[in-house]
Amino acid sequence: MSNFTGVLMGMGNPLLDISSDVPESMLDKYDVKLNNAILAEEKHLPIYKDLVDNFNPQYIAGGATQNSIRVAQWMLKAQGKLNATAFMGCVGEDAFGKQLEDCASADGVLAHYMKDKETPTGTCAVLVNGGERSLVANLAAANNFKPSHLETDLAKEIYTSADFYYIAGFFLTVSVESLKIIADHAVEKNKTFCLNFSAPFIVDFFGEQLATAMPYTDFVFANESEAEAYAKKNGLGGESCDLKQVALEVAKMPKANASKPRTVVFTQGSESTIVACDGVVKEYAVDPLPKEDLVDTNGAGDAFVGGFLSVLVSGGSVEAAVQAGHYAARVIIQRSGCTFPEKCDYKF
């Protein structure tokens, strides 16, 4: 027993990022686009060996939800809040799985992984070109998370202790049943449940699963391309697809817990962040980063959510949470992958 007394729990797909700077020809070779995330198809499977053999990659702990939880804990640690976070997902019983576990532990996150003896730990090819990134995920073991893991003593200890839950939309391809267990608990105990759309393909091809999750959401995160995809799929925002209007419409969709309003947060890269709640929409400017300081955008959205959550779970305002999110994303895009310096100098 860990006697977990933290406040924030994430559940998602733990992946080891295999990250390299690549020429445009590499993107063309595997028919992938920058600023996009996809699940690997048969034609993409050679990409991982190609990166290892030809591009001297870095191996970085990844997976969208796990990234956000690591960043949140990094920022919470700076406020003296240790062991405030936990993460659950499925890995293989192999070196990559051990590497992920060690990384989470080093960052102060309690990783309670389900371990699959038959399937290797999931990986994500991160192709970086001109500072922008394309993600190709091979979920492998991450795809095998089961609701039975939530019945373990430690899992129960984690999710009953936590008051805030964050799940990226990528997990909707894995176990909606597990998501519902956590989300139902959040509604029953009047806790806070947060979801990210994660990628246009989630909106386009897993719309039914997303529709199941949406009523549970107290906070919804998306970037502009995901928000536009959701708007088009659901007929929101009018002909011009005005994202401020879309945010307002998503905010007023039906909720399982009607006792608190839904807050919708749309990031737009270096453009202003849109926040809608209770019929009011606001924009928060992003302090632009000089192009020469940009290393890669991989993990920027995850870092924003991590920064945002670190303030949210500390009782801060939404405005303060957005500013913390902007700070975290700015730190991460000046480094390779979702990594950060040992010390966080941000003050809430």
Side-chain angles (χ1 to χ4, degrees):
M1 278 292 187
S2 76
N3 296 315
F4 178 73
T5 55
V7 292
L8 173 62
M9 180 200 122
M11 185 166 66
N13 303 336
L15 304 172
L16 191 70
D17 286 353
I18 303 174
S19 178
S20 289
D21 283 294
V22 299
E24 197 167 334
S25 58
M26 183 72 165
L27 302 171
D28 296 338
K29 179 178 180 180
Y30 290 100
D31 190 26
V32 295
K33 297 179 175 62
L34 288 173
N35 296 314
N36 200 13
I38 60 171
L39 293 177
E41 300 172 27
E42 193 73 31
K43 66 182 180 182
H44 300 120
L45 293 181
I47 202 169
Y48 306 94
K49 188 173 189 302
D50 198 343
L51 284 174
V52 172
D53 289 350
N54 300 309
F55 294 97
N56 191 29
Q58 286 182 286
Y59 296 88
I60 304 167
T65 302
Q66 185 166 243
N67 284 344
S68 296
I69 299 300
R70 288 172 51 237
V71 170
Q73 181 59 65
W74 173 65
M75 293 187 68
L76 286 164
K77 182 182 178 183
Q79 312 305 313
K81 297 173 183 174
L82 306 179
N83 307 312
T85 61
F87 174 80
M88 288 190 259
C90 187
V91 298
E93 285 196 346
D94 53 24
F96 281 176
K98 180 72 165 57
Q99 195 169 338
L100 282 177
E101 195 161 15
D102 289 347
C103 179
S105 179
D107 290 334
V109 176
L110 172 60
H112 179 41
Y113 293 137
M114 183 174 187
K115 294 183 179 174
D116 186 331
K117 294 180 180 178
E118 310 297 326
T119 314
T121 295
T123 49
C124 183
V126 181
L127 310 182
V128 181
N129 179 277
E132 307 295 325
R133 95 295 186 258
S134 182
L135 307 179
V136 185
N138 181 17
L139 296 184
N143 202 38
N144 296 337
F145 189 90
K146 302 288 188 292
S148 59
H149 188 65
L150 296 175
E151 296 170 12
T152 63
D153 289 343
L154 182 52
K156 287 179 181 176
E157 185 181 322
I158 289 168
Y159 79 74
T160 55
S161 171
D163 291 315
F164 295 83
Y165 307 92
Y166 175 65
I167 298 178
F170 294 123
F171 192 68
L172 292 168
T173 74
V174 173
S175 181
V176 175
E177 189 180 348
S178 299
L179 179 147
K180 278 179 64 25
I181 290 169
I182 300 302
D184 280 328
H185 171 80
V187 171
E188 181 190 347
K189 301 296 183 183
N190 197 30
K191 297 180 176 183
T192 300
F193 183 82
C194 311
L195 183 77
N196 199 316
F197 287 168
S198 292
F201 85 83
I202 296 294
V203 173
D204 291 336
F205 302 111
F206 295 88
E208 187 178 328
Q209 293 90 331
L210 184 54
T212 297
M214 281 300 290
Y216 293 107
T217 57
D218 299 304
F219 284 81
V220 170
F221 298 95
N223 68 21
E224 71 274 34
S225 59
E226 297 149 11
E228 285 170 9
Y230 190 80
K232 288 174 185 172
K233 183 94 170 178
N234 294 280
L236 306 177
E239 286 185 18
S240 64
C241 196
D242 179 354
L243 289 188
K244 287 187 279 190
Q245 184 60 36
V246 173
L248 286 167
E249 291 180 43
V250 173
K252 69 180 184 183
M253 289 168 66
K255 277 183 98 263
N257 182 355
S259 70
K260 48 187 170 183
R262 177 185 291 113
T263 301
V264 177
V265 183
F266 291 160
T267 57
Q268 303 183 94
S270 61
E271 301 298 314
S272 61
T273 295
I274 296 168
V275 178
C277 183
D278 247 348
V280 177
V281 64
K282 295 182 179 180
E283 289 188 81
Y284 298 93
V286 174
D287 187 16
L289 182 75
K291 181 74 174 174
E292 59 270 21
D293 292 340
L294 175 66
V295 175
D296 83 60
T297 56
N298 181 33
D302 302 337
F304 173 87
V305 172
F308 188 104
L309 292 175
S310 71
V311 171
L312 186 69
V313 305
S314 302
S317 68
V318 167
E319 181 175 358
V322 170
Q323 299 307 336
H326 287 170
Y327 164 84
R330 188 182 177 87
V331 168
I332 265 65
I333 64 175
Q334 294 181 74
R335 301 169 65 89
S336 185
C338 194
T339 63
F340 34 81
E342 185 177 346
K343 290 188 177 178
C344 169
D345 58 13
Y346 192 78
K347 298 291 184 283
F348 290 10

